[in-house]
Amino acid sequence: GAVVSQHPSWVICKSGTSVKIECRSLDFQATTMFWYRQFPKQSLMLMATSNEGSKATYEQGVEKDKFLINHASLTLSTLTVTSAHPEDSSFYICSARVGLRGPHPGELFFGEGSRLTVL
Amino acid sequence: AQSVTQLDSHVSVSEGTPVLLRCNYSSSYSPSLFWYVQHPNKGLQLLLKYTSAATLVKGINGFEAEFKKSETSFHLTKPSAHMSDAAEYFCVTAGYQKVTFGTGTKLQVIP
């Protein structure tokens, strides 16, 4: 199947700093990418949906100025946690939906996730 | 609107016995349904998917699921549990612009 690479896998930062997480589709073009957050012992919560070249659509309750999402190309989306605080510590996962052309049309693939710890 | 309901938050089975993880869906159209597994501190791994082809879907590691429209169910099964199956399992439904996760079922395998 197709591969979605997330980087970094682990990141520790100081409170008040910003952290960028990258999500790349390695062998396909992703027309849509999704960002999720997983709280301990809970299901994944969709944070936002991003389409290449347009603004992300955020779910209710997600601060768009806090969690900046950029989907500048068909193979890369980034999530920047700005002015991170300890309560932002979480497991963040991205997924990418394959375009309708090429192999696996319309399918969804997930990254391995990024664990953020804010001290 | 689309949604999935995982009926059990925890399932405990003995090694070598069958596994049944239940999922019911709600969708106004023919859904795409997936089962994912997540081991501790790891990302999601696709077990299997249903996309309106065969109703019985075979996945990796001996798992399979049957799409039953009359029951709006997509239960995940495995004939014989292995210790390495202990993980959290998510039932997922996906439209083109929306993906909805179930609340997850934690599978415990007792030696």
Side-chain angles (χ1 to χ4, degrees), chain A residues 2 9 12 14 17 33 37 42 46 52 60 62 73 76 82-83 85 91 93 103 112 119:
Chain A
S9 301
I12 300 173
K14 292 182 178 180
T17 60
M33 287 188 171
R37 180 175 180 179
Q42 294 187 34
L46 179 64
E52 185 265 339
Q60 193 172 11
V62 178
S73 77
L76 173 65
T82 62
S83 186
H85 288 90
F91 194 53
I93 299 179
E112 283 286 306
L119 303 176

Side-chain angles (χ1 to χ4, degrees), chain A residues 40-63:
Chain A
K41 300 183 180 180
Q42 294 187 34
S43 183
L44 289 121
M45 302 290 292
L46 179 64
M47 298 174 67
T49 302
S50 73
N51 293 296
E52 185 265 339
S54 62
K55 289 183 179 180
T57 302
Y58 289 82
E59 296 297 302
Q60 193 172 11
V62 178
E63 299 175 62

Side-chain angles (χ1 to χ4, degrees), chain A residues 10 31-32 34 36 38 42-44 46 49 51 59 91 93 97-100 106-108 110-112 115, chain B residues 34 36 38 41-46 49 51 88 90 92 94-104 106:
Chain A
W10 297 83
T31 52
T32 306
F34 304 88
Y36 306 87
Q38 188 176 32
Q42 294 187 34
S43 183
L44 289 121
L46 179 64
T49 302
N51 293 296
E59 296 297 302
F91 194 53
I93 299 179
R97 182 179 287 285
V98 185
L100 294 179
E107 286 195 30
L108 197 63
F110 286 85
E112 283 286 306
R115 180 159 300 282
Chain B
F34 307 79
Y36 286 88
Q38 187 179 28
N41 294 320
K42 299 275 187 168
L44 293 167
Q45 180 183 23
L46 178 67
K49 61 186 178 188
T51 52
E88 186 145 23
F90 292 96
V92 180
Y96 199 73
Q97 283 286 313
K98 188 83 172 179
V99 177
T100 306
F101 281 80
T103 50
K106 183 158 285 187

Side-chain angles (χ1 to χ4, degrees), chain A residues 77-103:
Chain A
S77 177
T78 60
L79 167 68
T80 301
V81 183
T82 62
S83 186
H85 288 90
E87 58 265 30
D88 298 325
S89 299
S90 194
F91 194 53
Y92 294 87
I93 299 179
C94 73
S95 67
R97 182 179 287 285
V98 185
L100 294 179
R101 295 181 180 176

Side-chain angles (χ1 to χ4, degrees), chain B residues 4 20 24 27 31 34-35 39 43 46-47 54-55 60-61 64 88 92 105 107-108 110-111:
Chain B
V4 285
L20 170 64
N24 285 99
S27 177
F34 307 79
W35 274 100
H39 289 92
L46 178 67
L47 285 176
T55 56
I60 62 171
N61 301 336
E64 61 182 40
E88 186 145 23
V92 180
T105 299
L107 176 64
Q108 180 185 22
I110 302 168

Side-chain angles (χ1 to χ4, degrees), chain B residues 3-61:
Chain B
S3 66
V4 285
T5 302
Q6 288 183 247
L7 300 163
D8 307 294
S9 58
H10 286 85
V11 169
S12 184
V13 300
S14 297
E15 189 176 16
T17 64
V19 175
L20 170 64
L21 305 182
R22 299 183 293 167
C23 174
N24 285 99
Y25 70 90
S26 173
S27 177
S28 54
Y29 49 85
S30 184
S32 292
L33 293 162
F34 307 79
W35 274 100
Y36 286 88
V37 61
Q38 187 179 28
H39 289 92
N41 294 320
K42 299 275 187 168
L44 293 167
Q45 180 183 23
L46 178 67
L47 285 176
L48 49 82
K49 61 186 178 188
Y50 167 77
T51 52
S52 75
T55 56
L56 181 62
V57 182
K58 293 188 184 297
I60 62 171
N61 301 336

